[in-house]
Coordinates of all heavy atoms in Angstrom, one line a residue:
A97 N -24.3 -0.5 -7.7 CA -23.3 -0.3 -8.7 C -22.5 -1.6 -9.1 O -22.3 -1.9 -10.2 CB -22.3 0.8 -8.2
V98 N -22.2 -2.4 -8.0 CA -21.5 -3.7 -8.3 C -22.4 -4.6 -9.1 O -22.0 -5.2 -10.1 CB -21.0 -4.3 -7.0 CG1 -20.5 -5.7 -7.2 CG2 -20.0 -3.5 -6.3
A99 N -23.7 -4.7 -8.7 CA -24.6 -5.5 -9.4 C -24.8 -5.1 -10.8 O -24.9 -5.9 -11.8 CB -26.0 -5.6 -8.7
A100 N -24.9 -3.8 -11.0 CA -25.1 -3.2 -12.4 C -23.8 -3.6 -13.3 O -24.0 -3.9 -14.4 CB -25.3 -1.7 -12.3
G101 N -22.6 -3.4 -12.7 CA -21.4 -3.8 -13.5 C -21.3 -5.3 -13.7 O -21.0 -5.7 -14.8
A102 N -21.6 -6.1 -12.7 CA -21.6 -7.5 -12.9 C -22.6 -8.0 -13.9 O -22.3 -8.9 -14.7 CB -21.8 -8.2 -11.5
A103 N -23.7 -7.4 -14.0 CA -24.8 -7.8 -14.9 C -24.3 -7.6 -16.4 O -24.7 -8.3 -17.3 CB -26.1 -7.0 -14.7
Q104 N -23.4 -6.7 -16.6 CA -22.8 -6.4 -17.9 C -21.4 -7.1 -18.1 O -20.7 -6.8 -19.0 CB -22.7 -4.9 -18.2 CG -24.0 -4.2 -18.1 CD -25.2 -4.8 -18.9 OE1 -24.9 -5.3 -20.0 NE2 -26.4 -4.8 -18.3
N105 N -21.1 -7.9 -17.1 CA -19.8 -8.6 -17.1 C -18.6 -7.6 -17.2 O -17.6 -7.9 -17.9 CB -19.7 -9.7 -18.2 CG -18.5 -10.6 -18.1 OD1 -18.1 -10.8 -17.0 ND2 -18.0 -11.0 -19.2
L106 N -18.8 -6.5 -16.6 CA -17.7 -5.5 -16.6 C -16.7 -5.9 -15.5 O -17.0 -6.5 -14.5 CB -18.2 -4.1 -16.4 CG -19.0 -3.5 -17.5 CD1 -19.8 -2.3 -17.0 CD2 -18.1 -3.1 -18.7
E107 N -15.4 -5.5 -15.7 CA -14.5 -5.5 -14.6 C -14.9 -4.4 -13.6 O -15.1 -3.2 -14.0 CB -13.1 -5.2 -15.1 CG -12.0 -4.9 -14.0 CD -10.7 -4.4 -14.6 OE1 -10.5 -4.4 -15.8 OE2 -9.9 -3.9 -13.7
V108 N -15.1 -4.7 -12.3 CA -15.5 -3.7 -11.3 C -14.4 -3.5 -10.3 O -13.8 -4.5 -9.8 CB -16.8 -4.2 -10.6 CG1 -17.2 -3.1 -9.6 CG2 -17.9 -4.4 -11.6
V109 N -14.0 -2.3 -10.0 CA -13.0 -2.0 -9.0 C -13.4 -0.9 -8.1 O -14.2 0.0 -8.5 CB -11.6 -1.7 -9.6 CG1 -11.0 -2.8 -10.3 CG2 -11.7 -0.4 -10.5
A110 N -13.0 -1.0 -6.8 CA -13.2 0.2 -5.9 C -12.0 1.1 -6.1 O -10.9 0.7 -6.4 CB -13.2 -0.4 -4.5
R111 N -12.3 2.4 -5.8 CA -11.3 3.4 -5.7 C -11.5 4.1 -4.4 O -12.5 4.7 -4.2 CB -11.2 4.4 -6.9 CG -10.1 5.4 -6.7 CD -9.9 6.3 -7.9 NE -11.1 7.1 -8.2 CZ -11.2 7.9 -9.3 NH1 -10.3 7.9 -10.2 NH2 -12.3 8.6 -9.4
S112 N -10.4 4.0 -3.5 CA -10.5 4.7 -2.2 C -9.7 6.0 -2.4 O -10.3 7.1 -2.7 CB -9.9 3.8 -1.2 OG -9.9 4.5 0.1
G113 N -8.4 6.0 -2.2 CA -7.6 7.2 -2.4 C -7.0 7.3 -3.8 O -6.4 8.3 -4.2
G114 N -7.1 6.3 -4.6 CA -6.6 6.3 -6.0 C -5.1 6.3 -6.1 O -4.5 6.6 -7.2
H115 N -4.4 5.8 -5.1 CA -2.9 5.9 -5.1 C -2.2 4.6 -5.5 O -1.0 4.5 -5.4 CB -2.4 6.4 -3.7 CG -2.4 7.8 -3.5 ND1 -1.3 8.6 -3.0 CD2 -3.3 8.8 -3.9 CE1 -1.6 9.9 -3.1 NE2 -2.8 10.0 -3.6
S116 N -3.0 3.6 -6.0 CA -2.3 2.4 -6.5 C -1.2 2.8 -7.4 O -1.4 3.6 -8.3 CB -3.4 1.6 -7.2 OG -2.7 0.6 -8.0
Y117 N -0.1 2.1 -7.3 CA 1.1 2.4 -8.1 C 0.9 2.0 -9.5 O 1.7 2.5 -10.4 CB 2.4 1.7 -7.5 CG 2.9 2.3 -6.2 CD1 3.9 1.7 -5.6 CD2 2.5 3.5 -5.7 CE1 4.5 2.2 -4.4 CE2 3.1 4.1 -4.6 CZ 4.1 3.4 -3.9 OH 4.6 3.9 -2.8
I118 N 0.0 1.2 -9.8 CA -0.3 0.8 -11.2 C -1.7 1.1 -11.6 O -2.3 0.5 -12.5 CB 0.1 -0.7 -11.4 CG1 -0.8 -1.6 -10.5 CG2 1.6 -1.0 -11.2 CD1 -0.6 -3.1 -10.9
A119 N -2.3 2.1 -10.9 CA -3.6 2.6 -11.2 C -4.7 1.5 -11.2 O -5.6 1.5 -12.0 CB -3.6 3.3 -12.6
N120 N -4.6 0.5 -10.3 CA -5.6 -0.5 -10.2 C -7.0 0.1 -9.7 O -8.0 -0.5 -9.9 CB -5.2 -1.6 -9.3 CG -4.4 -2.7 -10.0 OD1 -4.3 -2.6 -11.3 ND2 -3.8 -3.6 -9.3
G121 N -6.9 1.2 -9.0 CA -8.2 1.9 -8.7 C -8.9 2.4 -9.9 O -10.1 2.8 -9.7
L122 N -8.3 2.4 -11.0 CA -9.0 2.7 -12.3 C -9.2 1.4 -13.1 O -9.7 1.5 -14.2 CB -8.2 3.7 -13.1 CG -8.2 5.2 -12.7 CD1 -7.2 5.9 -13.5 CD2 -9.6 5.8 -12.9
G123 N -8.9 0.3 -12.5 CA -9.0 -1.0 -13.1 C -7.7 -1.6 -13.6 O -7.7 -2.8 -13.9
G124 N -6.7 -0.8 -13.8 CA -5.4 -1.3 -14.3 C -5.5 -1.8 -15.7 O -4.6 -2.4 -16.3
N125 N -6.7 -1.5 -16.4 CA -7.0 -1.9 -17.7 C -8.0 -0.8 -18.2 O -8.6 -0.1 -17.4 CB -7.7 -3.2 -17.8 CG -6.8 -4.4 -17.4 OD1 -5.8 -4.6 -18.1 ND2 -7.2 -5.1 -16.4

Side-chain angles (χ1 to χ4, degrees):
V98 171
Q104 304 309 323
N105 192 29
L106 290 165
E107 171 189 347
V108 179
V109 292
R111 180 171 63 187
S112 174
H115 276 226
S116 167
Y117 285 173
I118 59 171
N120 276 351
L122 284 169
N125 291 300

